[in-house]
Every structure is written in C-alpha cells, then in structure tokens.
Amino acid sequence: MEKYTKRIMITGGAGFIGSHVVRRFVTHYPAYLLINVDKLTYAGNLENLIDIENNPNYVFEKADVVDKKAMDELFLKYKITDVIHLAAESHVDRSIEGPMEFVFTNVVGTVTLLETARKHWVDKEPHVFYHVSTDEVFGSLEEEGFFTEQTPYDPRSPYSASKASSDHFVRAYFHTYQLPIKLSNCSNNYGSHHFPEKLIPLMITNILNEKPLPIYGNGLNIRDWLWVEDHASAIDVIFHNGKVGESYNVGGLNEWTNISLVHYLCQLMDEKLGRPAGSSAKLITYIADRAGHDQRYAIDAHKLDEELAWKPSITFEEGLSKTIDWYLDNTEWIKKVTSGDYQNYYTKQYHNR
Ligand code: NAD
Ligand code: DAU
C-alpha cells in the first residue's frame, strides 16, 4: 500500500462527474492509488469505468458514505491520505419529490466523511479533503451579474439546501479543527456518461427515440454549461495547487436559455441522424414549470484562472458535438443504465430506511 505516494478515496466515482475524475487521476497519476467508493444508486454505474477497471492503481469499493463503520474500515484498509468527495444525490427534480435522501447522503454523508478524516488524520503527513459542490448554493440571478466566491449563500431547492449545508460543514471543520479542506462550486456540466434524466442527455435520448422533449415553463431559464472533462481538469488543478481552506468557482462563461439550447441540439441531431431539418424541433413540448425554478446561474471563474491558470479546453460547440457522438455510439449504455426502475428509485430507498 505504501508504495503509492497518495491513496485517494474518490466518493461517487461511478457517477457522471466522478467517473471522469477517477479516469483522469488513474491515467495521469500512476503513483497514486485511487479508491472509488460508491453506493451504486440508480445514478452510479460501473459501466462508466469499464476502460480503466483493470488498471493496477484503481480499486472499487461498494459502500454508503453515511455508513460510519464502512468509512472507518476503508480509511484503515487503504491508509487513506486524501479524499475527493463527489458522492451525492444530484437531481433537483428528485429533491423536490422527496428531500430526505438528499439530507442523508449530502449532509449526513459529508459529515460522516469529515468525522472519519478528522479521526484518522492525526499524523504530520499533508492531507486534502476536497469537497465538490455546485453553483446552486448561491441561489438565482436576474439578467445581470455573476456568482463569485464572495456571493452569499441563498439555496432555494432541497438539493441546493443540502449542498449548501454540506459546504458549511466542510468550512466549519477547517475553522474548528484545522482539517485541510478545499472546495469548489461548479456550473452545469455536460458530456459523456451523463445520466439521461438531466436536460442534455434526456433531450439527446428522446430525440433519438422520437419522444417528446419536455421544456419546463417558458424555457427562458438560463444555465451556464461546462464540459465535464474540463471540470475534471479543474478538480485536478485545485486538488494539487489550490490553497487549503479556500474555495474556487468553476465555469466556462457559456450561458444558454434552455429553449435555445434544445433548438441547437435538435439542429445538430437532425444533421447527424440525416433527418430533414426541423424534424426534431417538432418534438418540443412545453410542460408545467419546476417548483421554485431558479431563473439564471452564471459563474465568474476569474480566481481559478488568475491563481491557478485554469481555462476550459474546448468550446461548447465542440463539446456538444462530441457529447452527441458519444451517445449515438453508446446506445447500449443508455439501455443498460435506464433498464432498472430508476424513476422510482428514490421513493423505494426512502421507504426502505
Ligand atoms: P451523479 O448523480 O451522476 O453521481 C453521483 C454518484 O454518487 C453516483 O455514482 C451514486 O451512486 C453515488 N452515491 C449517491 N449516494 C451515495 C452514497 N450515500 N454513498 C456513496 N455513493 C453514493 O452526480 P454528478 O452529476 O456526477 O455530481 C457529482 C458531484 O458533483 C455532486 O456532489 C454534485 O453535487 C456536484 N456537481 C454536479 C454538477 C452537475 O452539473 N452534474 C455541477 C456542479 C457540482
Ligand atoms: O448548476 C449545477 C447543477 O446543475 C448541479 O449541481 C446539479 O447536480 C445538476 O443536476 C444541474 O442542475 P439543474 O437543475 O440546472 O440541471 P437539469 O439538467 O435538471 O436542468 C437544466 C435546466 O433545464 C433547468 O432550468 C431545468 C430545465 N429542464 C430540465 C429537465 C430535466 C427542462 O426544461 N426539462 C427537463 O426535462
């Protein structure tokens, strides 16, 4: 075990962003051991990591971050030196349907991990507890302005309230116990392996299957989109070079209204599928708005650029085209991850507790 210079627990590594972070660290850092700790909820799929699952510096452990005993055993078993914490319930609509699972995983799970790290990291070795969070903790913007690291927290959905709470606990552990934490708040990600319940992958799979494209409300809400591999590169840079105790905003200055994004997707998909221009757009269907729907998110990522020289590597046009190609080439993956009863997953989980 000690032959590895770092033994990093990555939680939620079988999910969308986590799988990109695991892949990046496993392939870029052969001197590190990466321990992917994931409960494998409906959103966690080991198919996401099939290309690296046999790498010698990668191991998978199925466990729940809320399970104190399991976290304790894993810290001991692998002599964990660092944590990159991504495990979370991540879908806003599910949090509106039932917030409790979000409290368990996002709040209690994060504090369980903080406590485990506090107990084990008593040596002089430098450690990092890196918490991956969201721009949604800052609330909702009107037409002007951007979220900076100084923007006061104003979460408005059960999901963002649970993430805000976890961020507060992470900072509290730094101030109270000097736990060496780092934190980042990122805008909406898109890319391969994104579970097809979120806007972009849902629209791609519905266009493919010629099903209705549900647009909430008037479609004029704005999101700021970042390619998931650029988020993974930002996490790499912050993990290695970010200042302990600080947080960094991550985003790509790439705002779209939902409706113009979906129109653009329809146009690209018509071209790629050889369908007549305008045919996919006919599937657009306006439906009831999301309760408490945040109007606009937009990230100011100057700190990350100026202090750590991070920039997104590709344009949205390139990233979206690559993303569509990945879904068109991976229809088996879509079938596999949507084959379970994922629509009712949350309800079942809660009732089983
Ligand atoms: P995801 O839903 O795709 O993946 C979450 C992963 O966590 C899954 O593999 C799931 O099995 C695992 N998990 C859930 N509960 C767990 C538990 N109790 N114990 C262990 N594992 C558990 O989520 P994502 O979109 O990849 O988001 C990852 C992280 O990044 C989250 O913390 C999220 O808040 C944050 N984030 C996401 C975005 C985005 O646009 N998707 C943007 C900014 C920040
Ligand atoms: O901003 C970062 C956040 O982005 C992350 O923290 C979350 O984990 C992630 O899920 C995402 O949250 P959003 O709510 O912004 O993403 P979602 O893909 O669910 O929705 C994007 C926008 O599209 C939002 O305004 C709601 C709208 N929408 C969504 C779906 C699923 C629709 O109009 N129709 C849909 O079917």
Side-chain angles (χ1 to χ4, degrees):
M1 199 72 59
E2 276 84 358
K3 76 173 180 176
Y4 291 105
T5 54
K6 291 183 193 291
R7 294 158 311 269
I8 310 175
M9 174 187 281
I10 302 187
T11 69
F16 165 47
I17 302 171
S19 62
H20 286 277
V21 175
V22 167
R23 181 175 297 100
R24 184 179 176 96
F25 275 70
V26 165
T27 52
H28 283 49
Y29 302 107
Y32 298 172
L33 180 66
L34 288 313
I35 303 105
N36 174 12
V37 174
D38 197 299
K39 178 179 164 184
L40 299 183
T41 69
Y42 76 96
N45 291 288
L46 289 176
E47 285 82 8
N48 294 354
L49 291 163
I50 219 141
D51 51 325
I52 57 109
E53 67 183 1
N54 293 322
N55 280 47
N57 65 334
Y58 170 73
V59 284
F60 172 68
E61 292 279 357
K62 186 171 190 290
D64 186 335
V65 292
V66 175
D67 183 344
K68 185 171 172 285
K69 188 165 169 279
M71 293 306 109
D72 206 41
E73 285 168 5
L74 289 172
F75 262 67
L76 279 176
K77 178 173 174 188
Y78 294 104
K79 299 184 169 53
I80 297 294
T81 55
D82 304 86
V83 173
I84 304 180
H85 178 39
L86 294 110
E89 285 293 335
S90 67
H91 194 36
V92 173
D93 293 328
R94 286 179 191 265
S95 82
I96 294 168
E97 217 178 287
M100 285 308 292
E101 200 61 31
F102 289 69
V103 176
F104 288 123
T105 287
N106 300 2
V107 184
V108 181
T110 302
V111 181
T112 304
L113 273 175
L114 288 164
E115 272 298 272
T116 313
R118 181 165 83 92
K119 174 177 160 193
H120 287 269
W121 292 347
V122 288
D123 50 22
K124 291 249 175 314
E125 205 177 335
H127 302 286
V128 173
F129 188 107
Y130 184 160
H131 180 60
V132 176
S133 193
T134 170
D135 60 358
E136 297 197 15
V137 297
F138 299 123
S140 178
L141 294 163
E142 297 299 330
E143 277 168 32
E144 301 288 314
F146 295 90
F147 297 135
T148 72
E149 288 79 1
Q150 280 71 47
T151 303
Y153 275 33
D154 183 22
R156 296 149 49 100
S157 73
Y159 163 71
S160 53
S162 69
K163 291 297 291 187
S165 171
S166 64
D167 291 11
H168 289 320
F169 271 106
V170 169
R171 289 199 182 92
Y173 270 65
F174 172 66
H175 291 289
T176 312
Y177 308 113
Q178 293 77 51
L179 193 80
I181 66 99
K182 297 182 185 183
L183 207 156
S184 57
N185 297 87
C186 187
S187 60
N188 285 61
N189 286 212
Y190 71 95
S192 71
H193 304 90
H194 201 182
F195 196 84
E197 65 182 353
K198 309 279 168 56
L199 182 73
I200 290 183
L202 179 73
M203 296 297 150
I204 293 174
T205 48
N206 282 12
I207 292 171
L208 202 53
N209 299 317
E210 297 180 81
K211 285 163 87 178
L213 309 178
I215 303 288
Y216 299 163
N218 60 13
L220 296 178
N221 302 68
I222 292 173
R223 296 292 180 267
D224 181 356
W225 295 94
L226 180 70
W227 194 43
V228 63
E229 294 188 34
D230 282 330
H231 188 191
S233 81
I235 289 173
D236 184 344
V237 167
I238 296 165
F239 174 79
H240 286 101
N241 303 323
K243 287 193 194 121
V244 168
E246 298 221 355
S247 65
Y248 296 83
N249 279 1
V250 188
L253 280 184
N254 179 43
E255 294 180 52
W256 288 74
T257 63
N258 294 334
I259 190 64
S260 32
L261 170 49
V262 172
H263 271 291
Y264 182 44
L265 261 179
C266 287
Q267 181 203 319
L268 289 178
M269 294 279 290
D270 284 345
E271 286 164 19
K272 286 182 192 278
L273 293 168
R275 290 181 184 165
S279 52
S280 296
K282 289 192 187 130
L283 299 168
I284 290 175
T285 311
Y286 287 91
I287 64 165
D289 208 353
R290 173 184 276 176
H293 199 170
D294 286 341
Q295 180 54 37
R296 174 174 166 252
Y297 304 144
I299 277 280
D300 176 342
H302 273 96
K303 177 177 174 184
L304 186 54
D305 178 7
E306 281 157 20
E307 289 186 15
L308 303 180
W310 174 89
K311 279 191 183 16
S313 68
I314 60 172
T315 64
F316 187 55
E317 287 68 19
E318 287 171 279
L320 200 58
S321 176
K322 275 175 187 261
T323 302
I324 296 171
D325 290 345
W326 186 85
Y327 280 91
L328 296 183
D329 290 344
N330 288 280
T331 49
E332 276 307 308
W333 178 93
I334 302 174
K335 266 194 213 141
K336 260 190 199 158
V337 304
T338 54
S339 62
D341 187 14
Y342 74 94
Q343 313 274 18
N344 296 314
Y345 174 85
Y346 166 73
T347 323
K348 279 190 187 156
Q349 273 295 109
Y350 181 52
H351 289 305
N352 284 342
R353 275 188 190 275

